[in-house]
Amino acid sequence: MEQTTMALPRWWRLLALVLGLGLAANGLFMLADPMGWYIAVPGVVDTGPPNRHFIGDIGGAYLATSLGLIGGALWPRLAAGGAMVAAIFHLLHSWVHLMDAAAGRCSPAQAIADIGPVHIPSLLILLLAIVALRRKAS
């Protein structure tokens, strides 16, 4: 017998699209112009010298997670997997920033500045993953 699933709420699809498009823009910027991205994003220059390869790798992760969220918004069968993978990466990314702050490897001002672009999106993506996984399990 085929298991039925609850539909994703409209807010879920909208939030996944908004976050996905923002993550995609950042990832594409990182891939297309790593040095421009390094200079443009506040606080990044304070983390050490730029590494084009590393910035591109992270840009690829941003783009991949964005496609998981966008795919889940457009094709709900992909929502749980796409959101779960996106949540794992972005929560680990957030964790790295928190550990840098705790160890004094960034300024208190930078730790506070990370709340908006790093920590809040990570928590919102976690919310998306939880809702999608619960929907799938229903």
Side-chain angles (χ1 to χ4, degrees):
M1 176 185 292
E2 184 177 324
Q3 183 177 3
T4 59
T5 58
M6 297 178 354
L8 286 168
R10 181 177 168 85
W11 67 263
W12 192 103
R13 296 174 84 171
L14 180 62
L15 182 57
L17 280 173
V18 169
L19 287 169
L21 291 172
L23 296 172
N26 187 56
L28 289 170
F29 188 10
M30 294 174 88
L31 287 165
D33 186 7
M35 299 311 290
W37 177 89
Y38 176 82
I39 293 166
V41 177
V44 173
V45 297
D46 298 328
T47 64
N51 180 319
R52 287 178 174 270
H53 181 97
F54 188 63
I55 295 168
D57 284 347
I58 297 168
Y62 264 78
L63 188 57
T65 60
S66 76
L67 294 176
L69 293 175
I70 293 167
L74 299 176
W75 299 285
R77 287 184 168 202
L78 303 177
M84 185 177 66
V85 170
I88 291 167
F89 169 74
H90 289 283
L91 288 168
L92 289 171
H93 178 223
S94 184
W95 180 255
V96 168
H97 280 252
L98 290 171
M99 291 301 96
D100 280 349
R105 290 187 293 267
C106 69
S107 69
Q110 184 59 49
I112 291 168
D114 285 344
I115 293 170
V118 177
H119 305 303
I120 290 174
S122 297
L123 294 173
L124 290 173
I125 295 167
L126 175 61
L127 172 66
L128 291 175
I130 290 168
V131 169
L133 288 165
R134 289 185 73 176
R135 175 198 60 92
K136 188 171 180 78
S138 297

